[in-house]
């Protein structure tokens, strides 16, 4: 596995070390897990966005008064 050099200011490194210690992890393990968590977060957000996009039309039809004015079709005004 290739090595990676990451630079932190003294203040940043102090904060990262404190965060690692708070989780009971080594600095190396904490930074590894941080990267993995970020990848998982991005996958979750993409999935949630896709889910919301698929249901948006159904929600808009069921609750027409909840559709933001800028996104209303055919100039429909809220009651």
């Amino acid at each position: 596995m290739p090595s990676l050099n990451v630079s932190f200011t003294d203040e940043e490194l102090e904060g990262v070390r404190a965060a690692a210690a708070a989780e009971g992890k080594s600095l190396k393990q904490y930074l590894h897990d941080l990267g993995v968590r970020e990848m998982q977060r991005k996958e979750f957000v993409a999935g949630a966005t896709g889910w919301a996009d698929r249901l948006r039309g159904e929600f808009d039809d069921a609750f027409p008064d909840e559709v933001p004015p800028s996104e209303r079709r055919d100039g429909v005004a809220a009651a």
Side-chain angles (χ1 to χ4, degrees), residues 6-65:
V6 180
S7 298
F8 294 99
T9 65
D10 290 340
E11 188 174 296
E12 291 168 337
L13 186 55
E14 182 180 322
V16 173
R17 285 182 197 261
E23 291 191 21
K25 296 179 179 179
S26 69
L27 185 58
K28 184 176 179 178
Q29 186 63 50
Y30 179 79
L31 291 173
H32 168 269
D33 292 353
L34 189 62
V36 170
R37 283 194 309 262
E38 179 61 13
M39 287 188 308
Q40 292 170 337
R41 185 194 69 79
K42 286 180 179 181
E43 288 175 10
F44 174 81
V45 168
T49 300
W51 178 79
D53 288 344
R54 286 190 302 276
L55 295 177
R56 183 169 287 114
E58 182 179 336
F59 181 88
D60 290 351
D61 291 342
F63 304 100
D65 293 339

